[in-house]
Amino acid sequence: MCIIVSKEINDKFILAKNRDRAYKPVLEVVHTIINGVEVAYLHDITTDWSEGLNEFGIGIVNSALLVGHDEAEKKLVKKNGKPSKDGKKIRTALSQKTLKETIRAALNTDGGINGHTFISSPYHMVSIEKTSTHKADIKTHNIKHPIVRTNHGHTFTDAGYTHGVKYLSSKMRKISAEKTIERVKDWTEVAPAMRKQYFERESQLNMRRNTPHMFTSSQTVMNLTERILEIEWFASKVQEFKGINNQLPKDYKSKIRIIIDKIDV
């Protein structure tokens, strides 16, 4: 259960995400070259999930619609002995040089990326809504106002959560993020805005989740215009944060800047 956001703030194109987990992940930030393209991404070592940006200012964030799998992801990896292919799909998409090529890779690599996916350059943002039973719905957005997706279908009303408390949570988190991010005046305020809690501390309706069964473990904010990846991680909700795994060649001059902040509350 996650929130993904896209918005232009003072001529800076931003992608952001609250990442909710039912387990405490082991995380790192990988900074490397894939197919000749510099990329930096948050990597969940537990499940191999990845999200980030590349040297051309192209970024990807995703929110699940196959929510049962998302909630039980760690158990499924442990049982089956291998992670899903989604992390590899996103890394393949990030290794492309243009927005068009990135979208094509996201749609076609190993059957494509399911869920809500935002793929953005510093100039254009595209949303993709896709499940194993729904063909991809692709839209281009004007992001002067925030575009937000959570865990219910936007085009496909039978996808993701469709009823009950979890559906209400998905709807309320979307509305809260839209209203909150609309007021943000500087891109560095995005992560703090997305962890504001408007309800009781353990309410499922909060943008920053803090329930016994699901909690926000990290936040990702990408300034695509300036090629900045910001990761904020919650010390009490992450098993281990291993820092930056720098795989860049010696003497390589990076085009991407990485900011990491530990949140203790």
Side-chain angles (χ1 to χ4, degrees):
M1 296 180 70
C2 304
I3 305 171
I4 57 174
V5 174
S6 180
K7 190 178 188 296
E8 185 179 10
I9 304 172
N10 290 334
D11 298 322
K12 306 293 191 297
F13 269 59
I14 306 302
L15 288 181
K17 175 173 177 174
N18 279 7
R19 186 167 189 254
D20 297 345
R21 298 289 87 193
Y23 62 92
K24 293 184 178 182
V26 178
L27 301 176
E28 65 178 351
V29 174
V30 178
H31 199 178
T32 190
I33 305 289
I34 304 177
N35 297 330
V37 175
E38 180 187 348
V39 300
Y41 57 88
L42 179 69
H43 181 220
D44 184 331
I45 297 172
T46 307
T47 62
D48 198 40
W49 181 259
S50 303
E51 286 170 309
L53 77 163
N54 68 21
E55 66 178 275
F56 301 104
I58 298 170
I60 300 176
V61 289
N62 174 275
S63 184
L65 285 173
L66 187 61
V67 287
H69 179 279
D70 197 48
E71 291 173 353
E73 186 177 16
K74 182 179 180 180
K75 293 179 181 179
L76 290 171
V77 171
K78 186 175 181 180
K79 179 180 178 181
N80 297 329
K82 59 182 180 180
S84 73
K85 297 179 180 179
D86 290 335
K88 184 178 180 181
K89 294 176 189 178
I90 289 178
R91 294 192 293 271
T92 299
L94 285 174
S95 71
Q96 310 304 311
K97 297 181 179 180
T98 68
L99 184 63
K100 186 175 181 180
E101 290 170 343
T102 304
I103 294 167
R104 184 181 296 117
L107 290 170
N108 297 325
T109 302
D110 287 326
I113 303 168
N114 288 328
H116 288 299
T117 305
F118 289 171
I119 303 177
S120 184
S121 74
Y123 310 101
H124 304 285
M125 197 282 280
V126 170
S127 68
I128 302 172
E129 183 173 344
K130 179 182 178 297
T131 76
S132 57
T133 57
H134 299 88
K135 292 184 178 180
D137 178 75
I138 307 168
K139 289 185 172 64
T140 302
H141 295 269
N142 177 343
I143 55 173
K144 292 292 183 181
H145 300 286
I147 308 300
V148 178
R149 297 289 184 268
T150 48
N151 306 104
H152 61 278
H154 184 77
T155 297
F156 307 122
T157 57
D158 60 335
Y161 292 126
T162 58
H163 62 278
V165 174
K166 292 180 179 180
Y167 174 68
L168 176 62
S169 167
S170 187
K171 295 283 283 189
M172 288 300 298
R173 287 182 289 114
K174 180 177 185 293
I175 292 169
S176 295
E178 288 168 343
K179 293 184 178 297
T180 301
I181 299 301
E182 183 69 62
R183 297 192 292 267
V184 169
K185 303 301 182 184
D186 188 283
W187 78 271
T188 60
E189 300 170 3
V190 169
M194 289 180 65
R195 58 177 178 262
K196 287 182 179 178
Q197 294 177 302
Y198 296 109
F199 303 92
E200 292 183 2
R201 180 176 173 82
E202 293 192 359
S203 173
Q204 294 195 53
L205 307 182
N206 280 318
M207 290 185 291
R208 178 190 170 182
R209 306 292 301 286
N210 190 36
T211 75
H213 304 294
M214 185 69 66
F215 45 81
T216 302
S217 59
S218 63
Q219 295 179 288
T220 299
V221 182
M222 302 178 215
N223 177 338
L224 302 179
T225 304
E226 297 179 315
R227 278 62 163 179
I228 300 173
L229 173 66
E230 179 185 50
I231 301 297
E232 306 215 355
W233 60 282
F234 297 94
S236 63
K237 307 301 182 185
V238 170
Q239 180 177 328
E240 182 181 2
F241 190 87
K242 291 181 173 290
I244 299 174
N245 180 352
N246 188 342
Q247 302 174 3
L248 296 174
K250 186 178 180 180
D251 299 325
Y252 176 86
K253 188 174 181 180
S254 174
K255 303 176 185 67
I256 299 172
R257 182 157 69 98
I258 299 170
I259 301 170
I260 297 176
D261 287 320
K262 176 183 175 183
I263 307 298
D264 290 317
V265 294

